[in-house]
Amino acid sequence: MCNGAGCLGEMPGMGGPFDSRNFIHNCNDWNSIGFGSELAEFPQLRLAPITGAIENVGYPDEKSFYRDIIRFASGRGIKLSIGDGTPDCKLQYGIEAVREQRKLIPDTKAAVFIKPYPNEKILERSEWADDIAEIFGIDIDAYNIITMRNLVHLEQKTPAMLLELKKRFNARGMLFAIKGVFKDEDLETVQAVRPDIIYVSNHGGRVETREGSTACFLEAHAGLLKANCHKLWVDGGIRLTSQMRKASSWGVDTVLLGRPIVSALCSERAGEDRPVLQA
């Protein structure tokens, strides 16, 4: 089971900083937190936005990774997300992969997550994906990826900046999500913006913000989060269907998976038979 122990120090790779500390917290803490007060129904399952296939996954090329992961997830009834990155082809390949999948499943769409560039650049990039997007989100915690922040001039988004984007996307008939809610100041941001979707994430434990897990953050702040959005999403360390139900009991509508789906895809390519989730 992918739990952060096998990829210690792998950066790039599937691990996380400081010996995968937050990655391991994410995995362990779904077992340590209790159930919330809501009926623990099975939440929707969605592919987390994933980029950097060559450097992090060891895939032969970036374009085939997006085609394969979108095909793999969509073919199993899993909702889709695509992510942004540098160079621009990372986002463009994701968009192309969703378009290809629409030839097989005509109604296929994806949640599209864009890095925190200046707002006009975000809106320009979003236009590339208008035909395949059902949701646009801003990946606010990507600001903490220092190498990327310096390379492409990411911004630390203020509530005013995010409110402007929410109005612009809602005017286009799109839901607006804030991804990477994990710090105390993020709570102040979502109360000011009240996005359609709050996405609790610490980038899979791959960025250094503060120590902790998405499970414990959700347990501590679920009431406030639910009061300030229409939908609540979470990722980070979820591996079992029982953990998905636990997330649902805290008000989560959608659970997003990254590494388990990548692992299952790579196992399929290697001729193995490994389930995406094991109850």
PDB file of all heavy atoms in Angstrom, residues 3 7 18 28 42 59 81 92 101 106 120 124 126 130 139 142 178 180 193 206 211 226 240 249 260:
ATOM      1  N   ASN A   3       2.130   4.368   1.160  1.00  0.00           N
ATOM      2  CA  ASN A   3       1.942   5.094   2.419  1.00  0.00           C
ATOM      3  C   ASN A   3       3.106   6.017   2.753  1.00  0.00           C
ATOM      4  O   ASN A   3       3.238   6.474   3.888  1.00  0.00           O
ATOM      5  CB  ASN A   3       1.712   4.107   3.565  1.00  0.00           C
ATOM      6  CG  ASN A   3       2.891   3.161   3.764  1.00  0.00           C
ATOM      7  OD1 ASN A   3       3.943   3.332   3.160  1.00  0.00           O
ATOM      8  ND2 ASN A   3       2.697   2.161   4.597  1.00  0.00           N
ATOM      9  N   CYS A   7       9.156   5.619  -0.600  1.00  0.00           N
ATOM     10  CA  CYS A   7       9.690   6.662  -1.496  1.00  0.00           C
ATOM     11  C   CYS A   7      10.367   7.778  -0.694  1.00  0.00           C
ATOM     12  O   CYS A   7      10.411   8.931  -1.134  1.00  0.00           O
ATOM     13  CB  CYS A   7       8.575   7.233  -2.367  1.00  0.00           C
ATOM     14  SG  CYS A   7       7.139   7.812  -1.432  1.00  0.00           S
ATOM     15  N   PHE A  18      11.314  16.440   3.661  1.00  0.00           N
ATOM     16  CA  PHE A  18      11.541  16.047   5.053  1.00  0.00           C
ATOM     17  C   PHE A  18      11.130  14.589   5.287  1.00  0.00           C
ATOM     18  O   PHE A  18      10.350  14.267   6.173  1.00  0.00           O
ATOM     19  CB  PHE A  18      10.826  17.004   6.007  1.00  0.00           C
ATOM     20  CG  PHE A  18      11.276  18.424   5.873  1.00  0.00           C
ATOM     21  CD1 PHE A  18      10.532  19.325   5.122  1.00  0.00           C
ATOM     22  CD2 PHE A  18      12.466  18.847   6.447  1.00  0.00           C
ATOM     23  CE1 PHE A  18      10.958  20.646   4.972  1.00  0.00           C
ATOM     24  CE2 PHE A  18      12.887  20.156   6.290  1.00  0.00           C
ATOM     25  CZ  PHE A  18      12.145  21.055   5.556  1.00  0.00           C
ATOM     26  N   ASN A  28      -1.483   8.056   7.721  1.00  0.00           N
ATOM     27  CA  ASN A  28      -1.741   7.506   9.058  1.00  0.00           C
ATOM     28  C   ASN A  28      -2.972   8.094   9.726  1.00  0.00           C
ATOM     29  O   ASN A  28      -3.702   7.392  10.446  1.00  0.00           O
ATOM     30  CB  ASN A  28      -0.526   7.735   9.958  1.00  0.00           C
ATOM     31  CG  ASN A  28       0.675   6.882   9.571  1.00  0.00           C
ATOM     32  OD1 ASN A  28       0.527   5.898   8.847  1.00  0.00           O
ATOM     33  ND2 ASN A  28       1.847   7.262  10.033  1.00  0.00           N
ATOM     34  N   PHE A  42     -21.093   7.015   0.674  1.00  0.00           N
ATOM     35  CA  PHE A  42     -19.891   6.887  -0.143  1.00  0.00           C
ATOM     36  C   PHE A  42     -19.756   8.133  -1.013  1.00  0.00           C
ATOM     37  O   PHE A  42     -20.642   8.433  -1.810  1.00  0.00           O
ATOM     38  CB  PHE A  42     -19.983   5.641  -1.025  1.00  0.00           C
ATOM     39  CG  PHE A  42     -18.645   5.155  -1.497  1.00  0.00           C
ATOM     40  CD1 PHE A  42     -17.784   4.515  -0.628  1.00  0.00           C
ATOM     41  CD2 PHE A  42     -18.242   5.355  -2.800  1.00  0.00           C
ATOM     42  CE1 PHE A  42     -16.552   4.069  -1.049  1.00  0.00           C
ATOM     43  CE2 PHE A  42     -17.005   4.914  -3.238  1.00  0.00           C
ATOM     44  CZ  PHE A  42     -16.156   4.268  -2.357  1.00  0.00           C
ATOM     45  N   TYR A  59       7.519   8.130 -16.087  1.00  0.00           N
ATOM     46  CA  TYR A  59       6.840   7.787 -17.332  1.00  0.00           C
ATOM     47  C   TYR A  59       7.730   8.161 -18.514  1.00  0.00           C
ATOM     48  O   TYR A  59       8.508   9.120 -18.434  1.00  0.00           O
ATOM     49  CB  TYR A  59       5.505   8.538 -17.417  1.00  0.00           C
ATOM     50  CG  TYR A  59       4.327   7.659 -17.749  1.00  0.00           C
ATOM     51  CD1 TYR A  59       3.827   6.766 -16.808  1.00  0.00           C
ATOM     52  CD2 TYR A  59       3.728   7.702 -19.005  1.00  0.00           C
ATOM     53  CE1 TYR A  59       2.749   5.948 -17.105  1.00  0.00           C
ATOM     54  CE2 TYR A  59       2.645   6.892 -19.310  1.00  0.00           C
ATOM     55  CZ  TYR A  59       2.157   6.011 -18.356  1.00  0.00           C
ATOM     56  OH  TYR A  59       1.097   5.200 -18.648  1.00  0.00           O
ATOM     57  N   SER A  81      -9.812  15.195 -13.154  1.00  0.00           N
ATOM     58  CA  SER A  81      -9.195  16.507 -12.937  1.00  0.00           C
ATOM     59  C   SER A  81      -7.914  16.544 -13.749  1.00  0.00           C
ATOM     60  O   SER A  81      -7.266  15.512 -13.956  1.00  0.00           O
ATOM     61  CB  SER A  81      -8.843  16.741 -11.469  1.00  0.00           C
ATOM     62  OG  SER A  81      -9.960  16.642 -10.629  1.00  0.00           O
ATOM     63  N   GLN A  92      -1.732  21.647 -21.528  1.00  0.00           N
ATOM     64  CA  GLN A  92      -2.285  21.386 -22.860  1.00  0.00           C
ATOM     65  C   GLN A  92      -2.450  19.898 -23.124  1.00  0.00           C
ATOM     66  O   GLN A  92      -3.439  19.473 -23.728  1.00  0.00           O
ATOM     67  CB  GLN A  92      -1.389  22.044 -23.912  1.00  0.00           C
ATOM     68  CG  GLN A  92      -1.455  23.564 -23.857  1.00  0.00           C
ATOM     69  CD  GLN A  92      -0.321  24.242 -24.618  1.00  0.00           C
ATOM     70  OE1 GLN A  92       0.691  23.622 -24.935  1.00  0.00           O
ATOM     71  NE2 GLN A  92      -0.493  25.527 -24.911  1.00  0.00           N
ATOM     72  N   GLN A 101     -10.769  11.471 -24.819  1.00  0.00           N
ATOM     73  CA  GLN A 101     -11.690  10.595 -24.104  1.00  0.00           C
ATOM     74  C   GLN A 101     -13.132  10.906 -24.459  1.00  0.00           C
ATOM     75  O   GLN A 101     -13.993  10.014 -24.431  1.00  0.00           O
ATOM     76  CB  GLN A 101     -11.464  10.728 -22.593  1.00  0.00           C
ATOM     77  CG  GLN A 101     -12.170   9.695 -21.746  1.00  0.00           C
ATOM     78  CD  GLN A 101     -11.673   8.277 -21.994  1.00  0.00           C
ATOM     79  OE1 GLN A 101     -10.588   8.076 -22.519  1.00  0.00           O
ATOM     80  NE2 GLN A 101     -12.477   7.293 -21.621  1.00  0.00           N
ATOM     81  N   PRO A 106     -18.920  10.761 -24.730  1.00  0.00           N
ATOM     82  CA  PRO A 106     -19.157  12.135 -25.193  1.00  0.00           C
ATOM     83  C   PRO A 106     -19.317  13.187 -24.105  1.00  0.00           C
ATOM     84  O   PRO A 106     -18.980  14.347 -24.311  1.00  0.00           O
ATOM     85  CB  PRO A 106     -20.438  12.002 -26.036  1.00  0.00           C
ATOM     86  CG  PRO A 106     -20.439  10.582 -26.491  1.00  0.00           C
ATOM     87  CD  PRO A 106     -19.838   9.800 -25.368  1.00  0.00           C
ATOM     88  N   GLU A 120      -4.953  37.687 -14.968  1.00  0.00           N
ATOM     89  CA  GLU A 120      -5.181  37.719 -16.412  1.00  0.00           C
ATOM     90  C   GLU A 120      -4.569  36.497 -17.089  1.00  0.00           C
ATOM     91  O   GLU A 120      -5.130  35.962 -18.055  1.00  0.00           O
ATOM     92  CB  GLU A 120      -4.626  39.013 -17.015  1.00  0.00           C
ATOM     93  CG  GLU A 120      -5.466  40.247 -16.682  1.00  0.00           C
ATOM     94  CD  GLU A 120      -6.954  40.049 -17.005  1.00  0.00           C
ATOM     95  OE1 GLU A 120      -7.274  39.583 -18.127  1.00  0.00           O
ATOM     96  OE2 GLU A 120      -7.796  40.334 -16.129  1.00  0.00           O
ATOM     97  N   GLU A 124      -6.573  33.631 -19.213  1.00  0.00           N
ATOM     98  CA  GLU A 124      -6.110  33.263 -20.559  1.00  0.00           C
ATOM     99  C   GLU A 124      -5.933  31.751 -20.664  1.00  0.00           C
ATOM    100  O   GLU A 124      -6.377  31.119 -21.635  1.00  0.00           O
ATOM    101  CB  GLU A 124      -4.787  33.967 -20.847  1.00  0.00           C
ATOM    102  CG  GLU A 124      -4.153  33.581 -22.170  1.00  0.00           C
ATOM    103  CD  GLU A 124      -2.759  34.164 -22.322  1.00  0.00           C
ATOM    104  OE1 GLU A 124      -2.510  35.272 -21.787  1.00  0.00           O
ATOM    105  OE2 GLU A 124      -1.914  33.517 -22.950  1.00  0.00           O
ATOM    106  N   SER A 126      -7.351  29.487 -18.831  1.00  0.00           N
ATOM    107  CA  SER A 126      -8.633  28.806 -18.684  1.00  0.00           C
ATOM    108  C   SER A 126      -9.384  28.724 -20.006  1.00  0.00           C
ATOM    109  O   SER A 126     -10.134  27.768 -20.237  1.00  0.00           O
ATOM    110  CB  SER A 126      -9.493  29.520 -17.629  1.00  0.00           C
ATOM    111  OG  SER A 126     -10.004  30.753 -18.113  1.00  0.00           O
ATOM    112  N   ASP A 130     -11.972  25.681 -22.062  1.00  0.00           N
ATOM    113  CA  ASP A 130     -13.398  25.982 -21.923  1.00  0.00           C
ATOM    114  C   ASP A 130     -14.297  24.833 -22.368  1.00  0.00           C
ATOM    115  O   ASP A 130     -15.348  24.591 -21.771  1.00  0.00           O
ATOM    116  CB  ASP A 130     -13.755  27.243 -22.712  1.00  0.00           C
ATOM    117  CG  ASP A 130     -13.929  28.452 -21.804  1.00  0.00           C
ATOM    118  OD1 ASP A 130     -14.048  28.265 -20.578  1.00  0.00           O
ATOM    119  OD2 ASP A 130     -13.935  29.582 -22.319  1.00  0.00           O
ATOM    120  N   ASP A 139      -4.959  26.606  -7.643  1.00  0.00           N
ATOM    121  CA  ASP A 139      -4.122  25.762  -6.802  1.00  0.00           C
ATOM    122  C   ASP A 139      -3.259  26.658  -5.909  1.00  0.00           C
ATOM    123  O   ASP A 139      -2.073  26.847  -6.152  1.00  0.00           O
ATOM    124  CB  ASP A 139      -3.264  24.899  -7.729  1.00  0.00           C
ATOM    125  CG  ASP A 139      -2.499  23.816  -7.008  1.00  0.00           C
ATOM    126  OD1 ASP A 139      -2.681  23.685  -5.783  1.00  0.00           O
ATOM    127  OD2 ASP A 139      -1.720  23.112  -7.668  1.00  0.00           O
ATOM    128  N   ALA A 142       0.258  25.836  -4.514  1.00  0.00           N
ATOM    129  CA  ALA A 142       1.394  25.734  -5.432  1.00  0.00           C
ATOM    130  C   ALA A 142       2.359  26.906  -5.269  1.00  0.00           C
ATOM    131  O   ALA A 142       3.515  26.821  -5.701  1.00  0.00           O
ATOM    132  CB  ALA A 142       0.907  25.654  -6.877  1.00  0.00           C
ATOM    133  N   ILE A 178     -11.266  26.580  -4.749  1.00  0.00           N
ATOM    134  CA  ILE A 178      -9.972  26.942  -4.168  1.00  0.00           C
ATOM    135  C   ILE A 178      -9.337  25.663  -3.649  1.00  0.00           C
ATOM    136  O   ILE A 178      -9.865  25.018  -2.740  1.00  0.00           O
ATOM    137  CB  ILE A 178     -10.110  27.970  -3.034  1.00  0.00           C
ATOM    138  CG1 ILE A 178     -10.675  29.287  -3.567  1.00  0.00           C
ATOM    139  CG2 ILE A 178      -8.760  28.213  -2.372  1.00  0.00           C
ATOM    140  CD1 ILE A 178     -10.869  30.347  -2.500  1.00  0.00           C
ATOM    141  N   GLY A 180      -5.990  23.569  -2.045  1.00  0.00           N
ATOM    142  CA  GLY A 180      -4.813  23.775  -1.214  1.00  0.00           C
ATOM    143  C   GLY A 180      -5.124  24.443   0.104  1.00  0.00           C
ATOM    144  O   GLY A 180      -4.255  25.063   0.718  1.00  0.00           O
ATOM    145  N   VAL A 193     -14.082  34.637   0.513  1.00  0.00           N
ATOM    146  CA  VAL A 193     -14.396  34.359  -0.891  1.00  0.00           C
ATOM    147  C   VAL A 193     -15.660  33.522  -1.038  1.00  0.00           C
ATOM    148  O   VAL A 193     -16.427  33.696  -1.975  1.00  0.00           O
ATOM    149  CB  VAL A 193     -13.200  33.651  -1.570  1.00  0.00           C
ATOM    150  CG1 VAL A 193     -13.520  33.317  -3.023  1.00  0.00           C
ATOM    151  CG2 VAL A 193     -11.947  34.522  -1.492  1.00  0.00           C
ATOM    152  N   ARG A 206       3.640  17.192  -0.536  1.00  0.00           N
ATOM    153  CA  ARG A 206       4.789  17.457  -1.397  1.00  0.00           C
ATOM    154  C   ARG A 206       5.270  18.909  -1.342  1.00  0.00           C
ATOM    155  O   ARG A 206       6.214  19.265  -2.045  1.00  0.00           O
ATOM    156  CB  ARG A 206       4.465  17.068  -2.843  1.00  0.00           C
ATOM    157  CG  ARG A 206       4.257  15.566  -3.004  1.00  0.00           C
ATOM    158  CD  ARG A 206       3.829  15.199  -4.409  1.00  0.00           C
ATOM    159  NE  ARG A 206       4.796  15.614  -5.400  1.00  0.00           N
ATOM    160  CZ  ARG A 206       5.926  14.955  -5.677  1.00  0.00           C
ATOM    161  NH1 ARG A 206       6.228  13.854  -4.999  1.00  0.00           N
ATOM    162  NH2 ARG A 206       6.743  15.378  -6.605  1.00  0.00           N
ATOM    163  N   GLU A 211       3.420  21.348   9.432  1.00  0.00           N
ATOM    164  CA  GLU A 211       3.338  19.905   9.633  1.00  0.00           C
ATOM    165  C   GLU A 211       1.906  19.523   9.994  1.00  0.00           C
ATOM    166  O   GLU A 211       1.240  20.200  10.775  1.00  0.00           O
ATOM    167  CB  GLU A 211       4.285  19.457  10.749  1.00  0.00           C
ATOM    168  CG  GLU A 211       4.302  17.939  10.927  1.00  0.00           C
ATOM    169  CD  GLU A 211       5.418  17.457  11.831  1.00  0.00           C
ATOM    170  OE1 GLU A 211       6.235  18.291  12.273  1.00  0.00           O
ATOM    171  OE2 GLU A 211       5.478  16.232  12.085  1.00  0.00           O
ATOM    172  N   LYS A 226     -17.612  23.791   5.668  1.00  0.00           N
ATOM    173  CA  LYS A 226     -18.922  23.508   5.065  1.00  0.00           C
ATOM    174  C   LYS A 226     -19.810  24.738   5.039  1.00  0.00           C
ATOM    175  O   LYS A 226     -20.642  24.891   4.135  1.00  0.00           O
ATOM    176  CB  LYS A 226     -19.615  22.380   5.839  1.00  0.00           C
ATOM    177  CG  LYS A 226     -19.066  21.003   5.563  1.00  0.00           C
ATOM    178  CD  LYS A 226     -19.387  20.511   4.159  1.00  0.00           C
ATOM    179  CE  LYS A 226     -20.866  20.202   3.992  1.00  0.00           C
ATOM    180  NZ  LYS A 226     -21.165  19.678   2.629  1.00  0.00           N
ATOM    181  N   LEU A 240      -8.501   3.502   1.610  1.00  0.00           N
ATOM    182  CA  LEU A 240      -9.522   2.486   1.848  1.00  0.00           C
ATOM    183  C   LEU A 240     -10.915   3.081   1.697  1.00  0.00           C
ATOM    184  O   LEU A 240     -11.134   4.267   1.964  1.00  0.00           O
ATOM    185  CB  LEU A 240      -9.382   1.901   3.262  1.00  0.00           C
ATOM    186  CG  LEU A 240      -8.031   1.276   3.619  1.00  0.00           C
ATOM    187  CD1 LEU A 240      -7.993   0.941   5.101  1.00  0.00           C
ATOM    188  CD2 LEU A 240      -7.775   0.051   2.778  1.00  0.00           C
ATOM    189  N   SER A 249     -18.328  11.499   6.447  1.00  0.00           N
ATOM    190  CA  SER A 249     -18.985  11.808   7.723  1.00  0.00           C
ATOM    191  C   SER A 249     -18.606  13.198   8.233  1.00  0.00           C
ATOM    192  O   SER A 249     -19.281  13.743   9.107  1.00  0.00           O
ATOM    193  CB  SER A 249     -18.628  10.754   8.776  1.00  0.00           C
ATOM    194  OG  SER A 249     -17.319  10.951   9.295  1.00  0.00           O
ATOM    195  N   PRO A 260      -2.583   6.328  -5.625  1.00  0.00           N
ATOM    196  CA  PRO A 260      -3.160   4.989  -5.836  1.00  0.00           C
ATOM    197  C   PRO A 260      -3.567   4.733  -7.290  1.00  0.00           C
ATOM    198  O   PRO A 260      -3.407   3.619  -7.787  1.00  0.00           O
ATOM    199  CB  PRO A 260      -4.383   4.984  -4.903  1.00  0.00           C
ATOM    200  CG  PRO A 260      -4.032   5.951  -3.823  1.00  0.00           C
ATOM    201  CD  PRO A 260      -3.274   7.046  -4.529  1.00  0.00           C
TER     202      PRO A 260
END
